[in-house]
Amino acid sequence: QLQLQESGPGLVKPSETLSLTCTVSGGSISSSSYHWGWIRQPPGKGLEWIGSIYYSGSTYYNPSLKSRVTISVDTSKNKFSLKLSSVTAADTAVYYCARQVSGLHTFDPWGQGTLVTVSS
Amino acid sequence: EIVLTQSPGTLSLSPGERATLSCRASQSVSSSYLAWYQQKPGQAPRLLIYGASSRATGIPDRFSGSGSGTDFTLTISRLEPEDFAVYYCQQYGSSHTFGQGTKLEIK
């Protein structure tokens, strides 16, 4: 079945850029039925959608994060990536990647998540 | 941006009881774009309900969703021990937003 796995540094310094990759296995990222999304969850708090990408490279972002976010896709490697610039302690969170059903805009399944801590 | 407000914040019930969780939107949401997720400690969220009332694959029929417009409800007809978790609603308008969650705990 489809699986997603996040990877990247667990510690990022303030003002630097957070970079994560999501590797998709058991299915093609180039499917026309899906987008691919990033969602985060600060420790002990709720979920916040960051942005989503289609295999063509078309993106849309959370307006509150748009100025700092870039999501890209590499169809040859079945991966998509997140970059979040100028991070602060408020960006400390578990970052999840997930498949997004294009017609319904639901997220299913999700990766296991990776904790990124912003600290000097 | 559409804000989703979930209530109650915490719900304390016993196994076998019925749970009713509420999700209220700040403006009307298309029923097609309202979903519910379950999250257990240390795990990623799992999709339960999409389109306000359709169960996702593999979800037991004790879970049901209803509602329209600005008021949506997730009902668990008879609680099993594994149902105690945090539940989130999520909507898509021009952007995706989640409610703040309802924690369902064992009484």
Side-chain angles (χ1 to χ4, degrees):
Chain A
Q1 77 273 19
L2 190 84
Q3 292 186 315
L4 300 95
Q5 179 68 58
E6 305 87 351
S7 60
L11 181 63
V12 181
K13 290 182 168 56
S15 79
E16 295 189 346
T17 296
L18 177 160
S19 297
L20 295 174
T21 296
C22 181
T23 301
V24 178
S25 58
S28 173
I29 204 168
S30 299
S31 170
S32 61
S33 300
Y34 305 109
H35 282 67
W36 304 89
W38 287 98
I39 303 103
R40 70 180 183 179
Q41 184 172 37
K45 296 187 178 180
L47 301 163
E48 180 181 35
W49 170 71
I50 300 169
S52 299
I53 191 165
Y54 195 54
Y55 76 93
S56 63
S58 174
T59 56
Y60 63 114
Y61 301 131
N62 186 325
S64 69
L65 298 169
K66 186 175 183 178
S67 63
R68 299 195 291 131
V69 174
T70 302
I71 298 176
S72 58
V73 64
D74 185 338
T75 55
S76 66
K77 295 183 179 179
N78 230 34
K79 297 179 179 181
F80 63 107
S81 299
L82 168 70
K83 291 189 185 299
L84 180 66
S85 64
S86 304
V87 297
T88 70
D91 294 309
T92 293
V94 175
Y95 285 75
Y96 296 100
C97 59
R99 185 181 68 177
Q100 178 185 325
V101 180
S102 297
L104 296 173
H105 298 283
T106 53
F107 297 99
D108 179 51
W110 298 52
Q112 66 183 29
T114 187
L115 174 63
V116 178
T117 301
V118 178
S119 175
S120 55
Chain B
E1 175 183 284
I2 296 176
V3 176
L4 299 178
T5 302
Q6 294 186 238
S7 61
T10 301
L11 185 58
S12 299
L13 294 170
S14 300
E17 291 192 295
R18 180 185 186 90
T20 303
L21 286 68
S22 174
C23 176
R24 179 162 290 178
S26 60
Q27 55 186 283
S28 186
V29 171
S30 168
S31 295
S32 297
Y33 301 146
L34 194 287
W36 290 91
Y37 299 83
Q38 177 194 66
Q39 186 178 33
K40 296 180 180 179
Q43 295 185 16
R46 176 175 72 145
L47 177 67
L48 296 176
I49 300 288
Y50 65 91
S53 60
S54 298
R55 277 186 299 277
T57 302
I59 302 303
D61 60 8
R62 65 180 181 273
F63 290 90
S64 63
S66 63
S68 64
T70 60
D71 289 300
F72 298 89
T73 300
L74 174 68
T75 302
I76 311 172
S77 60
R78 215 174 64 176
L79 286 166
E80 297 287 343
E82 62 267 26
D83 298 337
F84 292 90
V86 179
Y87 292 84
Y88 294 95
C89 55
Q90 174 243 329
Q91 69 80 36
Y92 172 73
S94 58
S95 182
H96 300 272
T97 56
F98 292 87
Q100 83 280 17
T102 289
K103 181 179 181 180
L104 178 56
E105 65 176 24
I106 298 177
K107 187 174 182 179

